[in-house]
Amino acid sequence: MINFTFRNDTKIIFGKGTEEQIGTEVEKYGKKVLLHYGGGSIKKYGLYDRVLRSLKDEGLEIIELGGVRPNPVLSMVNKGIDICRREKIDFIIAVGGGSTIDSAKTIALGVPYSGDVWDFYEGRTEPEEIIPVGVVLTIPASGSESSDSAVITNEDGMYKKGFTNELLRPEFAILNPEITYTLPPYQTACGSSDMMAHVMERYFTTVSDVELTDRLCEATLKTIISNTLKVLEEPENYSARAEIMWSGTIAHNNLLDTGRIGDWASHKIEMEISGLYDIAHGAGLAIIFPAWMEYVYKKDINRFARFAVEVWNVEYDFNDVEKAAIAGIKKLKSFFKEIGLPITLKEAKIPYNSFEEMARKCTEWGAVGNFVRLETDDVIKILEIAK
Ligand code: NZQ
Ligand code: ZN
């Protein structure tokens, strides 16, 4: 296990009816709030009215900015920054999933910064301050509700990039599993794929003697797998929705990578796909993660065999460890297929003509991944496997 500092300051408020607490939570930070949300699901299913009521009950002044689209874009962020400056906003509330939360986080970064907020994503500077952000989560997936990062697409060149900084952790996140009953099966599946990917990025490490976090990762993966199958059968199964929702936060709040070094190549490659072709991040990961596994598993066959045995109940064959390793990858693919996700680029209707462009953008700051360092050519080969 390597040295680490673990910190996660996001207050989690979990359970039935908890969105009613939003007013009292926000009121501690000021009087004027920006209410940021996506394409309308929160209005359709009544969450918007409940949030608004709670905020009004505390006498808060509300300015709204809806319309965040999946794979959120910089132009929306800049619009939000202008509004916040003009209206002298004290606090930003994101009601939605990763896209809305990341848009809110980036607006919050941009307001006190005199330059272009994209500077942070280009690595030109680090932030010194941020407007506080709070979250009402509607889709467990990205883990952005308590993560230290945000992902935005700059339409100028379609660059989808992430930025990480402790300041990006929300002040609080309200997680009511009931709110997720309305998720379409495909979005539920995409969310599960994303949170599984967050765990697997951490699981495939070259750091040895990390037994506790190995076991925590395996437990989180097994919980997501069994409960995803349950909610696809029974969308209003509270217990199963709750297990998934909490798993999504645990998967990406940095607890699972304490003492180890994660990989993150699959995420970097996927971001090129969803940046360019606007597919759901979780769907892109269902295609790329197994392809990455097939490309790198020989680096540590035992770790892949352990993944197969502990997560997928594959039988361990002492005479042929590689067989178990490969069986685990196959199980992962079958699971993604079973829950309705694409597992090839073809199934997702992604053309094959931009592999070089995606690989070049993905590696523009150097090799990606830690389990195996991947150069541009390696990324192209993984995209070929994903065809
Ligand atoms: O926009 P609305 O109308 O709300 O519809 C959304 C959207 O179409 C819908 N939805 C959300 N909650 C719903 C609902 N529909 C019915 N009932 C509900 N309760 O679901 C769709 C997807 O929403 P989105 O916010 O895009 O999903 P997700 O949470 O998967 O976020 C994806 C974004 O997060 C980034 C991804 O790259 C992607 O841009 N990520 C952010 C991370 C972070 N900040 O830490 C880490 C992740 O690895 C990821 O990269
Ligand atoms: Zn992700």
Side-chain angles (χ1 to χ4, degrees), residues 39-41 97-99 102 138 144 147 149 160 179 182 198 252 267 281:
S41 72
S99 298
D102 289 357
T138 64
S144 185
S147 82
S149 49
K160 185 174 184 182
I179 292 172
T182 55
H198 295 158
H252 203 37
H267 261 75
H281 172 61

Side-chain angles (χ1 to χ4, degrees), residues 255-311:
L255 174 67
L256 300 186
D257 55 10
T258 44
R260 55 204 290 149
I261 297 168
D263 182 70
W264 299 103
S266 300
H267 261 75
K268 291 227 166 64
I269 301 171
E270 193 296 315
M271 266 155 57
E272 299 308 329
I273 298 178
S274 51
L276 210 53
Y277 298 107
D278 204 19
I279 68 165
H281 172 61
L285 287 166
I287 299 166
I288 291 302
F289 225 111
W292 171 85
M293 288 178 161
E294 283 172 27
Y295 191 67
V296 304
Y297 77 91
K298 287 195 173 136
K299 164 87 188 225
D300 187 348
I301 290 179
N302 286 327
R303 178 148 285 276
F304 274 89
R306 177 182 171 141
F307 171 72
V309 172
E310 296 297 335
V311 178

Side-chain angles (χ1 to χ4, degrees), residues 196-204 221 289 293 307 332:
M196 285 174 74
H198 295 158
V199 181
M200 294 186 297
E201 295 280 17
R202 292 166 162 107
Y203 188 76
F204 292 101
L221 286 170
F289 225 111
M293 288 178 161
F307 171 72
L332 176 68

